Amino acid sequence: MADNRWVHRFSVGVACATLLLVAAGGLVTGTGSGLSVPDWPLSYGQFFPPMVGGIRFEHTHRMIAGAVGILTFFLALAIWAREKRRWLRWFGAGAFAAVLIQAILGGITVLFFLPLPVSVAHACLAQSFFSWIAAIALFTSKSWKKGRRTEAKRGDLLRFLSVAMTASIFVQLAMGALIRHGQRHPLLVAAHILTALIIFLQALLIWAATAREEKARGRFFRHVAGLAILIFLQVSLGVTALLARGALTGTAHQVMGALVLCLSLLLTLRFFRHLEPSAAESKGSGFWQLIRLTKPRLTLMALATTALGFMMAAPGPAVFEILAHVLFGSALVGGGANALNQFMEKDVDAKMKRTEGRPLPSGRLDEKSALIFGAAASLAGVGYLLFFANPLTAFLAFLTVAIYVFIYTPLKRKTALNTFVGAVAGALPVVIGWAGAGQGLDGRAAILFSILFLWQLPHFLAISWVYREDYLKSGLRMVCLLDEGGGWLGRQIVFYCLLLWAASLLPSLVGLSGGVYFSVIFMSNLIFLWLAVYLAVQKLVRARQFVSASILYLLTVIGVMMADKI
């Protein structure tokens, strides 16, 4: 690998410039200068307008943004020219694409008089972009390239906690952006404060777990301690900002939030790169094996779609308390269903390389515990939704468990049509969310269901191809086994992407979403379809990359639809 120390140093410099840009943006919002310049990209038709009043804040922000854009362009070029790691080349190119999108969002914010969804997206992307550039700096560092791993008895626990904390911080920043842009509903403010305390608790748990690791303590403890201290300062600044509401205090709070997100993401990446879970991390950590039994990533994705359905049906922000109940009950149902699925497929999982390390086939958890946990969590979730939401929501949750566990799971051994049955179970959470808002079911809920159903088909067809060899050994009847060369499966993926394109535009046609959603999703579908066609032409050689792209596509749909609704 080439010596790219100067690329690393350059990326650190771009990260510093980006943090300065975040601070400048915070001053624009804090001083109410967002509309002090009515045109874009110039300011009153000039490159250098009179720097008076709010113009000095807005135009300074634009100049720094232009400089960051130019620096990011040259950083992307440097990475493309010097890096042998293909994924990092595209990661650098993605950073430049992100800064272009950020510039466009900034222009829309000015030209359309601070539309709330765009303003919030603009703020969140700015802080995420800072973390993006910092990640590039980490990927080009010596420590990352060496990849020396440290054994840790609590490796899986530390990884899980760091991912959860990073996700919580991003949600926290999104709520903060809503509050800074005038959405000071008491429940939103209370949720913002509560999430901050949860994040601080997560940091303390990571700190305590790291302190008990003899081998990993010296390598990670300062990073963890620094992050915990920053989170404490961030909470203190947040309380001050809510009470004082000064521009400088609010800006400091925003900058500190960007730093906290950045350090949390870098810590997560370092845990996954450098921690080696100990072989002794087995039955002694039964609680965390139960967590793994719930398939946390799959459950979180299902919860995101549940939240989407709820937000699209909810009449206003006063129902956030009900949303919390719906999400908690859905988490119990989803986690329990996944646990029962693993219980029923323990023999199959033992035959496949990608699943042989799961709690049951690896022997880290006994079958009886898994069965009791799965059944109890599923029933508790349905009961919770019946009591705290409504009967329709509880029924749909029960139906999801029944289809996923008792129809889809056995069908995987019988017929390749199981994928379509699984897609029904996977699309029901968005309907559960809709019903949880208490509005009843109608054609709009069916549209959301169709989007989730159709998205799963190309996604899981590509996954099945990635793990085709595993499925051959397992005895499961998957669609990928019907195609030897990948040509037919590739055409199926393109066909379902076309159907998905049509379905994903329907929310704008029936009034669920507006023009911003239509424009962004139209372009997203164009890119997604191009990737599908390329995948088909290449006989599914890039199936793994397509799977990642499909997840990004779904997150885009969820995020833009929610933002447009808000």
Side-chain angles (χ1 to χ4, degrees):
M1 189 177 295
D3 184 5
N4 293 334
R5 283 177 294 179
W6 69 273
V7 176
H8 168 69
R9 293 167 182 166
F10 186 42
S11 61
V12 172
V14 178
C16 293
T18 304
L19 188 61
L20 181 61
L21 176 61
V22 172
L27 283 173
V28 170
T29 303
T31 58
S33 304
L35 295 178
S36 59
V37 178
D39 53 346
W40 182 88
L42 299 178
S43 300
Y44 290 97
Q46 304 175 53
F47 283 105
F48 300 103
M51 301 293 276
V52 295
I55 299 176
R56 67 180 182 273
F57 295 109
E58 173 64 17
H59 189 69
T60 299
H61 175 60
R62 294 186 184 187
M63 288 192 294
I64 298 173
V68 168
I70 294 171
L71 290 172
T72 305
F73 172 73
F74 283 112
L75 176 61
L77 281 182
I79 293 173
W80 200 271
R82 300 282 298 178
E83 266 295 338
K84 294 181 179 180
R85 291 171 286 181
R86 183 180 178 87
W87 65 268
L88 186 52
R89 291 181 178 182
W90 283 107
F91 195 77
F96 181 62
V99 83
L100 290 179
I101 294 172
Q102 180 72 342
I104 293 170
L105 289 175
I108 294 174
T109 298
V110 171
L111 298 178
F112 291 89
F113 307 106
L114 305 178
L116 181 62
V118 180
S119 298
V120 171
H122 185 59
C124 291
L125 182 56
Q127 293 171 313
S128 301
F129 178 73
F130 170 60
S131 296
W132 195 323
I133 298 298
I136 291 177
L138 176 65
F139 296 148
T140 53
S141 66
K142 284 185 177 180
S143 62
W144 184 272
K145 293 176 184 177
K146 290 179 180 178
R148 182 173 59 86
R149 301 180 75 84
T150 303
E151 187 178 272
K153 295 179 180 179
R154 301 165 187 82
D156 284 340
L157 170 61
L158 287 170
R159 290 177 176 181
F160 173 79
L161 287 175
S162 63
V163 170
M165 183 172 65
T166 303
S168 300
I169 292 169
F170 183 81
V171 172
Q172 172 77 344
L173 294 181
M175 288 192 291
L178 284 169
I179 293 172
R180 284 197 308 275
H181 287 86
Q183 303 300 304
R184 291 182 174 268
H185 190 278
L187 284 177
L188 180 60
V189 174
H192 186 61
I193 296 173
L194 178 61
T195 306
L197 296 176
I198 291 173
I199 292 168
F200 184 60
L201 177 60
Q202 290 171 327
L204 291 180
L205 289 173
I206 294 175
W207 192 352
T210 306
R212 297 175 66 185
E213 293 289 344
E214 294 181 6
K215 296 181 179 179
R217 182 169 52 211
R219 190 170 193 176
F220 297 101
F221 191 72
R222 284 186 297 178
H223 190 152
V224 174
L227 179 58
I229 292 171
L230 277 182
I231 291 173
F232 176 77
L233 293 175
Q234 170 73 343
V235 172
S236 302
L237 281 171
V239 173
T240 305
L242 284 173
L243 296 176
R245 300 190 182 184
L248 290 178
T249 306
T251 300
H253 184 55
Q254 184 172 339
V255 171
M256 191 69 73
L259 283 170
V260 167
L261 176 64
C262 175
L263 284 181
S264 182
L265 175 63
L266 296 184
L267 181 64
T268 302
L269 292 172
R270 292 185 66 209
F271 278 162
F272 276 87
R273 176 67 169 175
H274 299 299
L275 277 185
E276 184 70 48
S278 171
E281 189 179 16
S282 55
K283 292 193 177 183
S285 54
F287 174 76
W288 300 109
Q289 298 309 322
L290 290 176
I291 294 295
R292 293 185 62 195
L293 206 62
T294 65
K295 300 181 183 177
R297 287 178 293 183
L298 186 61
T299 301
L300 286 174
M301 185 65 76
L303 290 178
T305 63
T306 303
L308 172 65
F310 187 96
M311 293 294 292
M312 300 312 292
V319 292
F320 273 116
E321 181 181 356
I322 302 176
L323 172 60
H325 288 308
V326 172
L327 290 179
F328 182 73
S330 298
L332 289 174
V333 169
N338 286 324
L340 291 174
N341 168 263
Q342 288 196 50
F343 170 78
M344 296 177 67
E345 292 189 337
K346 56 186 178 297
D347 58 325
V348 173
D349 286 345
K351 299 176 183 179
M352 298 193 292
K353 185 176 181 180
R354 76 180 182 95
T355 57
E356 63 185 8
R358 285 178 174 175
L360 290 176
S362 66
R364 296 179 178 179
L365 193 69
D366 63 274
E367 297 176 14
K368 183 179 179 180
S369 297
L371 177 60
I372 293 174
F373 172 75
S378 299
L379 292 174
V382 172
Y384 189 92
L385 291 172
L386 180 63
F387 186 80
F388 288 101
N390 54 65
L392 178 59
T393 305
F395 170 75
L396 290 170
F398 174 79
L399 183 63
T400 302
V401 175
I403 294 175
Y404 184 66
V405 176
F406 300 111
I407 301 178
Y408 166 67
T409 301
L411 275 180
K412 290 169 74 174
R413 303 172 189 258
K414 302 293 184 181
T415 173
L417 296 176
N418 68 77
T419 301
F420 298 93
V421 178
V424 172
L428 278 175
V430 74
V431 185
I432 292 173
W434 184 283
Q439 300 301 303
L441 301 181
D442 55 29
R444 295 172 298 172
I447 289 174
L448 296 179
F449 174 87
S450 68
I451 294 173
L452 268 296
F453 176 83
L454 291 170
W455 170 80
Q456 290 176 89
L457 297 179
H459 177 75
F460 286 110
L461 289 180
I463 287 179
S464 72
W465 187 263
V466 172
Y467 298 108
R468 190 170 186 273
E469 295 300 321
D470 264 356
Y471 288 129
L472 279 171
K473 294 184 296 183
S474 70
L476 295 179
R477 305 290 297 275
M478 307 303 291
V479 178
C480 63
L481 303 182
L482 302 177
D483 186 12
E484 290 291 336
W488 175 81
L489 202 65
R491 292 191 294 273
Q492 291 293 307
I493 289 174
V494 172
F495 173 69
Y496 291 123
C497 284
L498 285 169
L499 294 181
L500 176 61
W501 191 339
S504 63
L505 297 179
L506 290 177
S508 292
L509 301 182
V510 300
L512 266 178
S513 298
V516 173
Y517 169 83
F518 186 91
S519 302
V520 174
I521 298 307
F522 185 90
M523 293 303 300
S524 298
N525 275 294
L526 186 63
I527 296 171
F528 194 45
L529 179 62
W530 179 84
L531 291 173
V533 172
Y534 180 78
L535 180 69
V537 171
Q538 297 294 321
K539 304 295 184 182
L540 306 184
V541 173
R542 302 287 181 185
R544 189 180 298 273
Q545 289 81 356
F546 181 81
V547 171
S548 299
S550 69
I551 295 174
L552 180 60
Y553 169 86
L554 179 61
L555 293 176
T556 301
V557 170
I558 294 172
V560 176
M561 194 180 292
M562 281 187 175
D564 209 17
K565 169 71 174 182
I566 295 171

